[in-house]
């Protein structure tokens, strides 16, 4: 069981709710995967469009899930802080996935705005899930701000590239052994997610890899299985890799073995 | 004699979700967030509000006054990654 804040979570897949072909596909993906944490957002609504927000809200409420609102699209600490406060009122949770866009091409976070916002929000009692890079200095600043969770990217949001810098993620895991680390963004395949878990990460957050799959509910299930497999592998203790071959079958007693090491003619 | 309310500068204009809107109110008169939401036709309660980039809690809609030129953001639950 994964104790995250005051909650105990069984499933280490965190699922995004965007870009599904239909509300049913989203609902079925959540149910088939068993994901317990789902990210959501706040967006401008016209008076006429509030019905869509209401319907989405009712869909979420009908499922037994924990919501993780995001500050996606915010470009300053002020925007992110205000969005987080609005999210807390609307969604009734103090969880917030903190995002501060620093670059339109990579959508990587502005680390300065991220830390500034984290400082304010942690003091206000939010449980901040900061979307960050693998930068250890930024990570230290976020933890000093009061964050108990870090969410480094695998690669840019929606890119499906998988883990771009495995060494850096390993270093982060080794540096912060007691911090909840969740790989977020850039995951494309179940094997990417399994790899993140094999590295010892605590969870994986993904969206496009499921919502844009040919069969989102089936893919969501595949990810859930992959994440569980990766976690089990990590807990079982992965073997060390070697430069050279090392025979699995015992060498003593090999038939036809000659003292010189050559097979007999 | 020209009527003051016919002059453009007397109109109460605010930006709502990035678009300029004219409120049926003289710019010199008060306008609360609650009144603005009613005028704009926002129903129910599953939305949140910010004025000039600052969050306004639901319990303060009646007492938070808008000024001419203020920026109002009204947001609702939506899908997100």
């Amino acid at each position: 069981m994964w104790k995250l804040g005051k909650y105990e979570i069984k499933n280490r897949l965190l699922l995004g709710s965007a870009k599904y072909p239909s509300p049913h596909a989203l609902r079925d993906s959540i149910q088939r995967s068993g994901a317990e944490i789902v990210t959501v957002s706040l967006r401008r609504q016209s008076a006429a469009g509030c019905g869509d927000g209401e319907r989405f809200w009712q869909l979420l409420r009908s499922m037994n899930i924990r919501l993780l609102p995001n500050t996606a699209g915010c470009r300053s600490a002020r925007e992110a802080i205000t969005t987080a406060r609005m999210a807390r009122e609307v969604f009734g949770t103090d969880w917030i996935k903190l995002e501060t866009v620093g670059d339109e091409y990579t959508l990587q976070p502005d680390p300065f705005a991220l830390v500034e916002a984290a400082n304010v929000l942690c003091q206000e009692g939010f449980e901040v899930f900061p979307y960050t890079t693998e930068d250890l200095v930024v990570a230290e600043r976020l933890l000093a701000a009061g964050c108990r969770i870090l969410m480094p990217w695998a690669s840019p949001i929606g890119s499906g590239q998988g883990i771009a810098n495995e060494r850096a993620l390993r270093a982060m895991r080794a540096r912060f052994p007691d911090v909840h680390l969740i790989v977020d963004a850039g995951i494309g395949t179940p094997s990417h997610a399994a790899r993140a878990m094999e590295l010892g990460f605590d969870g994986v957050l993904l969206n496009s890899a499921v919502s844009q799959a040919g069969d989102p509910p089936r893919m969501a299930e595949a990810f859930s299985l992959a994440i569980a497999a990766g976690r089990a592998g990590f807990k079982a203790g992965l073997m060390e890799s070697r430069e050279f071959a090392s025979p699995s079958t015992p060498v003593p007693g090999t038939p036809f073995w000659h003292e010189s090491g050559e097979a007999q003619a | 004699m020209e009527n003051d309310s016919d002059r453009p500068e007397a109109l109460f204009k605010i930006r709502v979700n990035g678009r300029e809107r004219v409120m049926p109110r003289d710019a010199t008169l008060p306008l609360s967030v609650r009144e603005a939401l009613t005028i704009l036709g926002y129903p129910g309660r599953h939305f949140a509000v910010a004025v000039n980039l600052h969050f306004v809690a639901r319990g303060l809609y009646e007492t938070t006054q808008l000024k001419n030129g203020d920026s109002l953001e009204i947001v609702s639950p939506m899908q997100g990654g």
Side-chain angles (χ1 to χ4, degrees):
Chain A
M1 197 70 79
W2 183 22
K3 196 156 183 345
L4 193 59
K6 8 179 217 196
Y7 304 104
E8 296 206 327
I9 307 293
K10 289 198 278 288
N11 195 310
R12 294 171 183 264
L13 166 64
L14 290 73
L15 203 51
S17 62
K19 295 188 184 175
Y20 285 77
S22 70
H24 298 300
L26 168 61
R27 183 198 60 209
D28 293 347
S29 296
I30 294 170
Q31 288 175 343
R32 192 141 165 202
S33 65
E36 296 165 66
I37 300 171
V38 175
T39 54
V40 290
S41 75
L42 287 174
R43 282 295 176 261
R44 287 171 165 174
Q45 284 290 353
S46 63
C50 267
D52 293 338
E54 181 68 29
R55 277 187 286 280
F56 180 60
W57 177 243
Q58 293 307 327
L59 173 66
L60 296 173
R61 280 166 54 94
S62 69
M63 295 185 282
N64 185 24
I65 52 174
R66 187 150 305 286
L67 299 180
L68 177 56
N70 69 28
T71 66
C74 290
R75 283 157 176 73
S76 69
R78 168 51 51 195
E79 288 180 2
I81 291 164
T82 295
T83 301
R85 291 168 176 163
M86 292 195 287
R88 181 159 60 180
E89 182 178 84
V90 172
F91 293 111
T93 176
D94 57 10
W95 280 15
I96 190 75
K97 175 181 165 179
L98 184 60
E99 300 179 60
T100 54
V101 177
D103 183 276
E104 293 300 325
Y105 186 68
T106 62
L107 294 181
Q108 71 189 82
D110 174 337
F112 309 102
L114 185 68
V115 172
E116 182 185 344
N119 261 306
V120 172
L121 295 175
C122 287
Q123 283 179 40
E124 291 182 8
F126 283 89
E127 184 76 76
V128 176
F129 293 61
Y131 168 58
T132 182
T133 63
E134 61 278 86
D135 189 311
L136 296 179
V137 176
V138 174
E140 293 276 11
R141 296 287 189 276
L142 290 167
L143 296 173
C147 295
R148 302 192 290 184
I149 300 158
L150 296 173
M151 300 215 295
W153 66 355
S155 50
I157 294 169
S159 69
Q161 295 172 18
I163 297 172
N165 193 342
E166 184 171 303
R167 287 182 199 277
L169 290 186
R170 276 184 193 276
M172 185 175 260
R173 178 74 280 178
R175 177 68 67 89
F176 308 115
D178 301 320
V179 175
H180 296 294
L181 296 183
I182 300 168
V183 169
D184 175 23
I187 296 291
T189 65
S191 53
H192 294 160
R195 187 63 190 142
M197 299 304 291
E198 286 167 0
L199 294 177
F201 278 72
D202 298 288
V204 176
L205 197 163
L206 54 97
N207 191 144
S208 302
V210 167
S211 68
Q212 293 175 39
D215 183 344
R218 194 170 192 177
M219 184 61 78
E221 184 182 20
F223 269 103
S224 190
L225 292 168
I227 286 165
R231 177 72 179 169
F234 170 73
K235 294 296 279 183
L238 300 169
M239 66 170 281
E240 297 285 334
S241 64
R242 297 184 174 92
E243 289 292 314
F244 302 103
S246 174
S248 321
T249 307
V251 172
T254 302
F256 317 116
W257 183 260
H258 191 271
E259 266 193 33
S260 69
E262 295 170 356
Q264 291 182 359
Chain B
M1 191 185 322
E2 192 179 275
N3 189 331
D4 277 356
S5 63
D6 292 337
R7 293 186 331 200
E9 54 268 31
L11 294 176
F12 204 123
K13 293 181 189 173
I14 57 175
R15 292 194 79 78
V16 180
N17 288 347
R19 293 180 59 193
E20 188 177 86
R21 299 288 296 270
V22 177
M23 297 284 106
R25 181 76 54 98
D26 190 278
T28 60
L29 296 176
L31 177 70
S32 70
V33 168
R34 172 64 69 199
E35 288 171 305
L37 291 171
T38 302
I39 290 168
L40 293 165
Y42 277 88
R45 43 185 298 109
H46 288 118
F47 57 81
V49 165
V51 174
N52 299 335
L53 274 178
H54 291 274
F55 167 61
V56 178
R58 185 168 293 278
L60 299 178
Y61 288 177
E62 274 80 19
T63 54
T64 301
Q65 300 298 323
L66 296 169
K67 299 186 306 299
N68 194 32
D70 276 352
S71 177
L72 185 61
E73 291 286 330
I74 306 167
V75 293
S76 288
M78 193 51 63
Q79 293 84 348

